[in-house]
Amino acid sequence: MTVVALFGAGGKMGMRLGRNLAASRFETRHVEVSPAGQERVRQAYGVDCLPAEQAVAGAEVVILAVPDTHVGAVARDLLPKLAAGTIVVILDAAAPHAGHLPERADITYFITHPCHPPIFNEETEPAAKADHFGGVAARQHIVNALMQGPEAHYVLGEEVARTIWAPVMRSHRVTVEQMAILEPGLSETVCATLLDAMREAMEEAIARGVPREAARDFLLGHMNILAAVTFEEVQGVFSDACNKAIVFGKETILKPDWKRLFEPEEIRESVRRIT
């Protein structure tokens, strides 16, 4: 069995990943510094967490299921303990893109991140429909990047990624720079911001007298069909009135140069702010 050392095993993300690893061909060694997290691991899997040195001895893969702000410090402490050729898996591009990973040429850095279950899907089981994050019952796509290391390590890295994010549909290979464009650029700076603005707009409609349930139902229903048309999930076009409203809305809501958010220097600054 391939040995995987899971750091942060008792945290929220670590427990998610640990459940999927437990049902796989991988032998998992759990590392957790928090007593509460250690107890969660013990209750879930009936095993004790191990010291870092013991966990990484003979491990082919090390997964850092720790917050972005801690990845650099954990990696710096960990790397001297790793054998040459170890694959270090990081779950977000932020710390790698920001240059927080220590340099060591004989270590592989593999970055993976979930796309999360898509809005338009074919899920019918209640558990899958309720799994909005993914990695439990709903199918999702993932993105992966081989930051450094031999090409052969991509195969094992992707297998680990497909396991921890299971069930997986498409697995996309991208660069670390492209992954940073996707997050925080596309998903957080743009998508999350606009979604938060839509929630604020809904609250404004409610403040102006629209019943809350009516406003929420109306907005979420329109988000469904408008997104289906916009992203070509269905064949259709907007009405002339809707197209005119979009033109006016963009001119009113968006700054003319908003796409500068995707310039390399803006992505670097965005990553710097969150790491």
Side-chain angles (χ1 to χ4, degrees):
M1 297 177 70
T2 299
V3 176
V4 174
L6 176 61
F7 281 69
K12 184 177 180 180
M13 183 61 72
M15 292 299 292
R16 285 178 177 273
L17 274 52
R19 282 191 290 270
N20 284 345
L21 286 167
S24 74
R25 74 171 185 86
F26 297 108
E27 175 190 335
T28 307
R29 297 174 183 170
H30 305 83
V31 181
E32 173 59 54
V33 297
S34 160
Q38 293 173 358
E39 181 59 27
R40 283 191 290 270
V41 169
R42 191 177 297 112
Q43 291 292 328
Y45 312 116
V47 299
D48 290 326
C49 291
L50 300 175
E53 293 85 350
Q54 186 177 345
V56 302
E60 293 183 51
V61 179
V62 172
I63 302 175
L64 303 186
V66 298
D68 290 338
T69 52
H70 296 169
V71 167
V74 172
R76 285 190 296 274
D77 179 68
L78 180 63
L79 251 65
K81 304 178 178 70
L82 301 182
T86 302
I87 301 174
V88 179
V89 176
I90 298 98
L91 307 180
D92 190 281
H97 187 270
H100 293 323
L101 297 181
E103 293 186 10
R104 183 173 164 184
D106 61 350
I107 292 295
T108 292
Y109 285 134
F110 184 91
I111 324 299
T112 182
H113 197 76
C115 296
H116 304 299
I119 293 175
F120 307 113
N121 59 67
E122 298 177 354
E123 304 293 359
T124 57
E125 295 298 322
K129 295 179 73 171
D131 181 17
H132 300 293
F133 184 91
V136 178
R139 293 171 294 174
Q140 64 179 334
H141 310 298
I142 61 175
V143 291
N144 310 300
L146 183 64
M147 183 176 182
Q148 71 173 46
E151 184 62 26
H153 279 183
Y154 184 87
V155 177
L156 180 55
E158 185 181 39
E159 183 186 357
V160 171
R162 283 184 171 274
T163 299
I164 61 177
W165 305 129
V168 170
M169 294 181 285
R170 288 191 292 271
S171 175
H172 303 282
R173 183 169 183 173
V174 298
T175 66
V176 174
E177 291 74 19
Q178 290 168 342
M179 199 180 291
I181 289 173
L182 294 175
E183 185 168 306
L186 180 62
S187 62
E188 294 176 341
T189 306
V190 176
C191 183
T193 299
L194 294 177
L195 285 171
D196 192 63
M198 283 191 280
R199 182 195 57 79
E200 286 190 24
M202 182 190 75
E203 294 295 341
E204 183 65 20
I206 293 167
R208 292 173 181 268
V210 179
R212 176 170 293 276
E213 286 191 358
R216 189 174 189 275
D217 289 346
F218 200 84
L219 177 60
L220 294 182
H222 277 73
M223 284 172 63
N224 185 36
I225 183 57
L226 293 172
V229 173
T230 299
F231 291 96
E232 300 179 341
E233 186 69 19
V234 299
Q235 294 299 313
V237 295
F238 294 143
S239 67
D240 290 342
C242 183
N243 285 324
K244 290 179 180 178
I246 291 172
V247 171
F248 173 78
K250 282 187 174 181
E251 292 175 348
T252 306
I253 298 170
L254 299 177
K255 293 182 178 180
D257 65 340
W258 71 271
K259 290 183 183 178
R260 67 179 174 80
L261 294 171
F262 291 97
E263 294 297 330
E265 61 272 17
E266 291 288 346
I267 294 293
R268 283 193 295 271
E269 181 60 20
S270 180
V271 168
R272 186 198 63 77
R273 285 193 293 267
I274 64 175
T275 58

